[in-house]
Amino acid sequence: MKNNFFKNPTLFIWFLLMCFTVQSQNKYIDSLLDLKHYSSVKFKIDSLYLNKNVNEYNYWLGKYYLEKNKADSSLFHLLKVDSLKLTSHYKAYFLNELGKLYGHMNLEDKAVSLKLRAKQLFKDEGLEKESNRINYDLHYIFLSQEHLNYDGKSYLDELYKNSIRLKDTSYLINAHFGYAASSFSAEKKNDFMSSMHEARNLNKTFNDSKKNGIINEYYGLYYTFNSDKKDSALYYLNKNLELADNSHDEDRIFTANINRATFNRVNGDFDSSVYWMKNADTIDVKKYKFNQKRNLYKWLSYDFYNLKKTDSAYKYLEKYVQYSDSVQLASQNTNLTMFRTLEAEKARSESERRRILNRNLLWGSLVVLAIIGLISVLSVKNLKKKKKIIEIEKQLQSQQIEQLLKEQELLGIDAMIEGQEKERKRIAMDLHDNLGSILATLKLHFQNLKVKKDRLRDQEDNLLKKTDDLIEEAYQKVRSIAHAKNAGVKASEGLVPAIQNFASKVSVANKLVIEVIDDGMEERLDNSLEISLFRITQELITNVIRHAQATEATIHLTHHEDSLNLMVEDNGVGFEPAKIKPKEGMGLHSIQRRIEHIGGEVNIESVPGKGTTVIIDIPLT
């Protein structure tokens, strides 16, 4: 028959014409799909059905729905293709498309099996470029699945070598993308940059807009996670966003917004992160990309949690849980679709109708049981998730109550300090106006007596002088106490001038030399903080006067970036801090409590006979 076929010119020419017509038709439909001329594609596919090319009709309709991201419809038609009736050439394309579909449906095991079979068929048919391109798909399927054993880059190396040999620029660029993704760390910076440089140079001549977007995306994410070049990261991510918007490709726009939000999240700008994540949320992702939508809600919940917006955080956490359930339900529906499609195909055989009917009853029972079991498992999981959410809410409420109590205690301390401030002023006024005036009058009387001392007896002269000296000393002490107790931070002066004024007055009255040293204190602090620091300094100097027996003391005030340091040191007798009980050291104890409430810490360094140093560190953020 073979000899007759080649001896008959008419039959041979007809055969070649048919092959040419089929190949031309396939290329024509493929080109329409690439250009997204879906109405023209549908018209051409419908003509296949009218011509009773049912196998080709189902294959192209399955591919059409896959391009339209309708996974269920694509699966329905692709499973109706009778692969036994396909040529090896056609079968390779069919298996490749079915593998692509299973990959979208997260059925990676099936996708890998079909892709490997398609790769071998392409190779057997001499279609080396198509066979090589499947290496790219296999690399990323294995790379994304931890449960699949993969040596890292064997398919990537094969893709790279064959793309050079076959002069396939598009997939050579993809190979460099794969190498860059495998080197996505600070330690492999040179490898990453080298791969991206090669991809970028190749795409300058190839000029693929989608690949330009990937280049900007990779650079942006690399600088976001592995470099302090935040301006560079922002430049590339914004460029990727611009290219995605111009492409009108919803998948690219969705991913570009997610990446833009990632940059802000990594850098602690959670408000901006929420903005970009909400932009992404407006895009209706395809059914097989529910995982991306689920992760979006997880990160939105995380962003709102960091913004202390617990209501919004729980809102998106609940959406995350709902989408997790939707993913499981989608997987279940996919399996049901596959089952029903296979059953529909088997039902076409009239000779096996009775056997299929019985089998359907059996499978129906198993499916019902499986659904009941699945619903039970999902219900248990939902209950556990709800319990976890309730526990988290309780923890947050407990933390809020604890924070509220701390704030109330802090307000109480502030009120106490304010009351002490008023009381000090009142005592100072009383000392100055009442006791001070009495002593001044008494001093005046004695001065009159001194003027009239000629009338007094000689033995009384010495007594009057001593009395006058005592009155003078009492008067000066009253003035010193009044000035010291009434010293404070005036709004017009600031902390440093107030401490310097206090130090000079105390030095004169107590024969203690006090030096005030400040660094970086040009800007004013919050008035309540200045008053607290002044009273703390006043308390520490009072302790020096009462207990240290010191002749010199130094007050250091240092403001550096977001922290403030106060250090008071003396050359007195010192003590052992560990032996001081709270009741015996109420001054130091109250200072420690006050500093702890504003987030600072107090360190006391003292050795008997070698003086004392008190160091206070306060954060200003």
Side-chain angles (χ1 to χ4, degrees):
M1 181 177 179
K2 181 177 180 183
N3 293 333
N4 291 335
F5 177 81
F6 285 104
K7 287 178 181 180
N8 189 332
T10 303
L11 188 62
F12 184 67
I13 291 170
W14 176 84
F15 174 75
L16 290 176
L17 184 62
M18 286 299 296
C19 290
F20 177 80
T21 303
V22 170
Q23 289 183 359
S24 298
Q25 177 177 265
N26 291 348
K27 289 181 179 179
Y28 177 64
I29 297 176
D30 257 332
S31 65
L32 290 175
L33 283 172
D34 289 338
L35 295 171
K36 299 186 185 301
H37 292 169
Y38 295 123
S39 58
S40 300
V41 171
K42 191 67 167 61
F43 176 81
K44 192 66 179 176
I45 293 172
D46 288 340
S47 68
L48 292 172
Y49 184 79
L50 293 174
N51 293 328
K52 298 184 179 180
N53 296 326
V54 179
N55 242 18
E56 289 183 42
Y57 167 78
N58 282 312
Y59 165 76
W60 284 109
L61 201 57
K63 186 170 182 177
Y64 166 79
Y65 282 123
L66 181 57
E67 288 293 326
K68 295 274 286 182
N69 297 311
K70 295 182 178 180
D72 292 342
S73 298
S74 176
L75 180 64
F76 177 81
H77 286 283
L78 286 177
L79 289 179
K80 290 173 74 175
V81 173
D82 186 354
S83 60
L84 296 176
K85 295 180 180 180
L86 296 176
T87 64
S88 296
H89 176 93
Y90 226 129
K91 189 174 183 179
Y93 284 101
F94 165 73
L95 294 175
N96 190 35
E97 290 300 319
L98 191 57
K100 180 180 178 182
L101 174 61
Y102 282 137
H104 285 334
M105 295 165 68
N106 299 317
L107 300 172
E108 288 78 12
D109 294 326
K110 292 184 178 181
V112 168
S113 175
L114 291 167
K115 287 280 183 181
L116 287 172
R117 288 170 62 192
K119 178 184 175 184
Q120 187 60 47
L121 283 173
F122 278 132
K123 188 175 181 180
D124 293 342
E125 289 295 307
L127 300 171
E128 289 187 81
K129 186 176 286 188
E130 283 77 6
S131 178
N132 183 49
R133 289 183 171 187
I134 290 179
N135 287 313
Y136 180 77
D137 301 331
L138 290 169
H139 167 70
Y140 274 97
I141 290 173
F142 277 102
L143 195 64
S144 64
Q145 302 300 314
E146 294 179 357
H147 70 283
L148 297 176
N149 295 322
Y150 180 47
D151 61 1
K153 60 171 188 172
S154 60
Y155 291 110
L156 194 60
D157 289 340
E158 187 177 351
L159 173 69
Y160 174 76
K161 293 174 183 177
N162 289 336
S163 295
I164 293 175
R165 181 174 59 83
L166 298 168
K167 297 181 180 180
D168 188 354
T169 305
S170 176
Y171 275 72
L172 181 57
I173 294 171
N174 288 346
H176 285 298
F177 286 154
Y179 285 129
S182 301
S183 307
F184 199 83
S185 65
E187 294 79 12
K188 297 182 179 180
K189 179 180 178 182
N190 291 337
D191 294 338
F192 175 86
M193 290 299 175
S194 176
S195 298
M196 291 304 298
H197 179 73
E198 291 293 332
R200 197 171 188 175
N201 284 341
L202 287 168
N203 201 49
K204 284 180 181 178
T205 55
F206 193 70
N207 196 26
D208 186 304
S209 174
K210 188 172 183 179
K211 293 187 190 302
N212 276 332
I214 294 173
I215 289 169
N216 285 288
E217 176 184 348
Y218 274 33
Y219 275 124
L221 290 175
Y222 184 86
Y223 284 124
T224 296
F225 289 103
N226 301 308
S227 172
D228 57 356
K229 295 181 179 179
K230 304 307 177 188
D231 292 339
S232 297
L234 200 56
Y235 168 81
Y236 286 113
L237 291 175
N238 285 337
K239 188 67 177 176
N240 179 40
L241 194 63
E242 179 184 349
L243 290 171
D245 288 337
N246 292 336
S247 73
H248 303 294
D249 186 329
E250 290 187 344
D251 287 345
R252 288 178 63 184
I253 296 170
F254 179 88
T255 303
N257 278 278
I258 292 292
N259 291 335
R260 188 63 178 76
T262 299
F263 169 84
N264 294 114
R265 186 180 302 110
V266 169
N267 289 283
D269 185 1
F270 296 103
D271 282 313
S272 298
S273 179
V274 166
Y275 170 80
W276 291 109
M277 293 297 278
K278 284 190 173 182
N279 274 358
D281 192 28
T282 61
I283 299 169
D284 185 22
V285 300
K286 309 305 180 292
K287 287 185 178 180
Y288 64 85
K289 292 193 175 180
F290 272 1
N291 278 333
Q292 293 184 6
K293 200 76 165 180
R294 179 183 61 176
N295 290 333
L296 181 147
Y297 291 136
K298 179 180 74 174
W299 287 112
L300 262 175
S301 175
Y302 175 83
D303 291 337
F304 278 117
Y305 178 78
N306 281 281
L307 290 170
K308 310 301 182 185
K309 296 181 180 180
T310 53
D311 290 341
S312 297
Y314 284 125
K315 170 187 172 183
Y316 285 101
L317 182 61
E318 187 176 4
K319 283 193 172 187
Y320 167 73
V321 173
Q322 290 173 353
Y323 261 75
S324 297
D325 293 341
S326 297
V327 171
Q328 294 175 351
L329 185 59
S331 178
Q332 174 189 336
N333 289 338
T334 298
N335 291 330
L336 287 172
T337 301
M338 292 169 60
F339 168 75
R340 289 167 183 167
T341 303
L342 291 171
E343 288 299 314
E345 284 294 304
K346 292 174 184 176
R348 293 184 180 187
S349 176
E350 292 293 336
S351 62
E352 297 181 358
R353 184 180 296 275
R354 190 174 300 277
R355 183 177 63 84
I356 292 172
L357 179 61
N358 293 332
R359 190 175 179 181
N360 281 344
L361 290 173
L362 175 62
W363 276 103
S365 301
L366 292 174
V367 169
V368 170
L369 290 173
I371 292 173
I372 293 172
L374 183 60
I375 291 173
S376 300
V377 171
L378 292 176
S379 298
V380 172
K381 286 185 176 180
N382 284 334
L383 286 173
K384 288 182 178 179
K385 288 175 182 176
K386 287 180 180 179
K387 286 181 180 179
K388 286 183 179 179
I389 292 173
I390 292 171
E391 289 176 1
I392 293 172
E393 288 178 347
K394 288 181 179 179
Q395 289 176 359
L396 287 173
Q397 288 177 354
S398 177
Q399 291 173 359
Q400 289 174 352
I401 292 171
E402 184 179 350
Q403 183 65 27
L404 183 62
L405 290 173
K406 287 183 179 179
E407 289 176 357
Q408 289 177 346
E409 185 177 358
L410 194 58
L411 288 172
I413 293 173
D414 288 337
M416 180 184 71
I417 289 175
E418 186 178 352
Q420 289 176 345
E421 192 76 13
K422 291 180 180 178
E423 184 64 16
R424 285 189 179 97
K425 289 182 179 179
R426 187 188 67 77
I427 293 171
M429 291 297 295
D430 287 345
L431 286 172
H432 186 274
D433 296 343
N434 298 323
L435 184 56
S437 61
I438 292 170
L439 289 174
T441 303
L442 186 59
K443 177 176 172 62
L444 183 62
H445 282 298
F446 272 92
Q447 285 176 344
N448 288 332
L449 288 174
K450 286 173 67 178
V451 172
K452 300 175 182 179
K453 67 180 179 177
D454 294 338
R455 303 175 188 176
L456 300 173
R457 290 176 295 179
D458 293 338
Q459 58 269 28
E460 292 177 345
D461 192 25
N462 186 42
L463 179 62
L464 286 171
K465 183 179 183 304
K466 289 182 178 179
T467 305
D468 184 45
D469 290 341
L470 288 172
I471 292 171
E472 177 65 22
E473 183 179 355
Y475 180 67
Q476 292 301 328
K477 283 287 185 181
V478 169
R479 281 178 57 83
S480 175
I481 292 170
H483 283 300
K485 290 298 181 182
N486 195 36
V489 181
K490 296 181 179 179
S492 61
E493 292 181 354
L495 177 61
V496 175
I499 290 178
Q500 289 172 338
N501 184 38
F502 165 73
S504 63
K505 290 179 179 179
V506 172
S507 296
V508 171
N510 296 281
K511 297 178 182 180
L512 172 68
V513 178
I514 302 175
E515 182 182 8
V516 180
I517 301 172
D518 68 284
D519 182 26
M521 298 294 295
E522 293 78 12
E523 296 183 4
R524 292 288 300 274
L525 304 174
D526 180 74
N527 187 251
S528 62
L529 179 59
E530 286 187 341
I531 291 174
S532 296
L533 288 171
F534 178 80
R535 290 307 176 197
I536 288 169
T537 305
Q538 192 179 47
E539 182 69 29
L540 291 172
I541 293 298
T542 301
N543 286 344
V544 172
I545 294 171
R546 290 177 178 173
H547 309 295
Q549 302 175 25
T551 58
E552 295 178 359
T554 305
I555 302 171
H556 295 269
L557 275 167
T558 304
H559 182 188
H560 179 66
E561 294 182 352
D562 294 331
S563 65
L564 183 71
N565 175 268
L566 169 63
M567 182 170 68
V568 176
E569 54 184 349
D570 63 69
N571 64 346
V573 296
F575 64 98
E576 294 184 27
K579 293 185 178 181
I580 299 296
K581 298 179 181 178
K583 291 183 179 180
E584 296 174 354
M586 287 302 291
L588 290 175
H589 183 66
S590 64
I591 289 171
Q592 286 177 323
R593 290 283 294 162
R594 178 62 183 167
I595 294 300
E596 286 173 0
H597 274 293
I598 59 178
E601 59 179 19
V602 180
N603 292 309
I604 302 171
E605 299 175 359
S606 183
V607 177
K610 295 185 178 181
T612 301
T613 300
V614 179
I615 302 171
I616 298 174
D617 291 305
I618 301 171
L620 298 179
T621 54

